Amino acid sequence: GYPNHNSSIMDGYAIKTSELGDAKRMYDAMTPELREKYVMDFVIVGKVYAGDDDNDDDDKGEAVYSNNIDCNQCTAVYVTTGAVIPTNYDAVIPIEDTTITSSSTTNNGNNNEILRMHIIPSKVKSTFNTKPWTWIRPIGCDIPSEYIVLSEGETIQPVHLALLAQVGVSLEEVHVKKLPRVGVLSTGNEVLPPSSSSEKKRAAGKIPDANRPLLLSQLATYGNCIPIDLGIVSDDEGCENTARRLNSVLWDDAAECEGGVDVLITTGGISMGEKDMMEQVFVEGMGGEVHFGRMNMKPGKPTTFITIDRDTKMG
């Protein structure tokens, strides 16, 4: 899971909540006057910084603890945000709820400095009620063990790169397929490119090419394909020339479309009119197979779906 260790959410002091019981009982038995003078302190027995991988500070602390302080004294370990919580410590007191003092003791002729963390008076009662895991991110709290962060066939999004890094999977271990390239082509003598439609907007029988920019923009929003603008094919180009052009686009031979396309979306020229030649282009000129040629809707009834086998391509 992630994180793979119990880590501190705050800069502060890791404590053992099991050590609070005796102090709380003593505090509860005090008169109000004594409570006002009560000082709640912890002996600081170690420090752990973010990035430290040594989780044995408790053992080091116990050595100082046993030689220099009352065995009934509560202990604390200074921790920074993101630091590993030492073994047997189960809560963190934020640093802003504390103050620090130091004192000296003599042990076998050696002077030892003892640092103590004090709880500020306004936070004493709430500290007594500290529960295990307070201000601690436990192991697996973000990503539980065995959790699937990226499913087979899923489109990789920016957040997946972070999740893969968090679970220890390198990009070299991820097998991917390239995004499909989707070409968009408009057809018809009546269709004008957007750049020239304003100049010829008064020409009778002409319309702006609105479908192509709409489809290209819509495809771009999906994030799971690469839209390719293939422009406009006029009816006057004829079936043979149009098939030759589209064959080169599909099979990566066209200078206008380096890399080819995997899917081709065309608008216009697919109904029953004299100049509706696109089905003929795809079937007779390119070896396509029609799967359906009508849909129960209007407009859009002559919507047609055709596949072309790369192994039996024509042209």
Side-chain angles (χ1 to χ4, degrees), residues 172-219:
E172 290 76 12
E173 298 177 74
V174 181
H175 301 285
V176 299
K177 294 181 179 179
K178 66 178 183 179
L179 294 176
R181 297 165 61 85
V182 181
V184 179
L185 176 76
S186 294
T187 70
N189 289 342
E190 74 279 14
V191 181
L192 295 176
S195 59
S196 61
S197 61
S198 59
E199 301 171 8
K200 302 180 181 180
K201 62 183 179 180
R202 296 183 180 177
K206 301 297 184 180
I207 60 173
D209 183 4
N211 288 334
R212 184 162 48 96
L214 182 149
L215 290 170
L216 289 167
S217 179
Q218 186 65 49
L219 289 168

Side-chain angles (χ1 to χ4, degrees), residues 75-269:
T75 61
V77 175
Y78 174 76
V79 291
T80 60
T81 301
V84 175
I85 299 298
T87 302
N88 297 326
Y89 289 80
D90 60 357
V92 172
I93 303 299
I95 196 168
E96 54 265 33
D97 294 348
T98 68
T99 59
I100 300 297
T101 62
S102 64
S103 60
S104 297
T105 62
T106 301
N107 184 37
N108 296 325
N110 297 319
N111 289 327
N112 297 301
E113 182 183 26
I114 298 296
L115 292 178
R116 284 183 168 81
M117 177 268 287
H118 303 274
I119 304 298
I120 61 177
S122 62
K123 295 293 183 179
V124 169
K125 287 185 177 180
S126 61
T127 299
F128 280 133
N129 294 320
T130 301
K131 304 298 183 184
W133 303 108
T134 298
W135 297 119
I136 291 178
R137 296 171 63 221
I139 293 172
C141 66
D142 287 354
I143 305 175
S145 179
E146 307 299 328
Y147 183 81
I148 297 175
V149 299
L150 184 61
S151 299
E152 183 177 357
E154 191 171 354
T155 300
I156 296 179
Q157 303 293 342
V159 67
H160 291 129
L161 302 182
L163 291 172
L164 291 171
Q166 288 178 321
V167 298
V169 176
S170 68
L171 296 183
E172 290 76 12
E173 298 177 74
V174 181
H175 301 285
V176 299
K177 294 181 179 179
K178 66 178 183 179
L179 294 176
R181 297 165 61 85
V182 181
V184 179
L185 176 76
S186 294
T187 70
N189 289 342
E190 74 279 14
V191 181
L192 295 176
S195 59
S196 61
S197 61
S198 59
E199 301 171 8
K200 302 180 181 180
K201 62 183 179 180
R202 296 183 180 177
K206 301 297 184 180
I207 60 173
D209 183 4
N211 288 334
R212 184 162 48 96
L214 182 149
L215 290 170
L216 289 167
S217 179
Q218 186 65 49
L219 289 168
T221 65
Y222 297 148
N224 58 4
C225 66
I226 301 174
I228 306 294
D229 187 352
L230 298 179
I232 299 172
V233 170
S234 71
D235 300 328
D236 294 337
E237 290 191 43
C239 178
E240 185 176 344
N241 289 332
T242 301
R244 186 181 299 113
R245 175 182 171 184
L246 294 183
N247 267 317
S248 67
V249 167
L250 287 177
W251 316 124
D252 195 14
D253 297 324
E256 63 182 297
C257 182
E258 183 178 353
V261 298
D262 304 292
V263 178
L264 179 60
I265 300 174
T266 67
T267 59

Side-chain angles (χ1 to χ4, degrees), residues 38 57 93 153 175 289 303 310:
Y38 178 76
D57 290 78
I93 303 299
H175 301 285
E289 177 185 354
T303 297
R310 291 180 183 270

Side-chain angles (χ1 to χ4, degrees), residues 16-54:
K16 302 175 182 178
T17 56
S18 60
E19 293 182 337
L20 300 177
D22 289 342
K24 184 177 186 304
R25 282 188 288 272
M26 181 179 66
Y27 178 83
D28 290 342
M30 291 180 178
T31 63
E33 292 78 13
L34 289 176
R35 289 182 183 181
E36 291 181 2
K37 300 177 182 179
Y38 178 76
V39 177
M40 184 179 189
D41 64 359
F42 298 74
V43 173
I44 301 173
V45 296
K47 295 182 179 181
V48 184
Y49 300 101
D52 291 350
D53 60 3
D54 185 358

Side-chain angles (χ1 to χ4, degrees), residues 250-308:
L250 287 177
W251 316 124
D252 195 14
D253 297 324
E256 63 182 297
C257 182
E258 183 178 353
V261 298
D262 304 292
V263 178
L264 179 60
I265 300 174
T266 67
T267 59
I270 199 67
S271 190
M272 304 296 290
E274 186 176 319
K275 289 196 173 184
D276 288 333
M277 62 177 181
M278 292 311 295
E279 183 172 332
Q280 182 183 0
V281 167
F282 290 123
V283 175
E284 298 179 15
M286 303 176 67
E289 177 185 354
V290 177
H291 294 271
F292 61 81
R294 292 291 182 273
M295 292 187 70
N296 187 24
M297 68 177 186
K298 196 168 183 67
K301 184 175 182 179
T303 297
T304 302
F305 179 70
I306 299 172
T307 58
I308 302 173

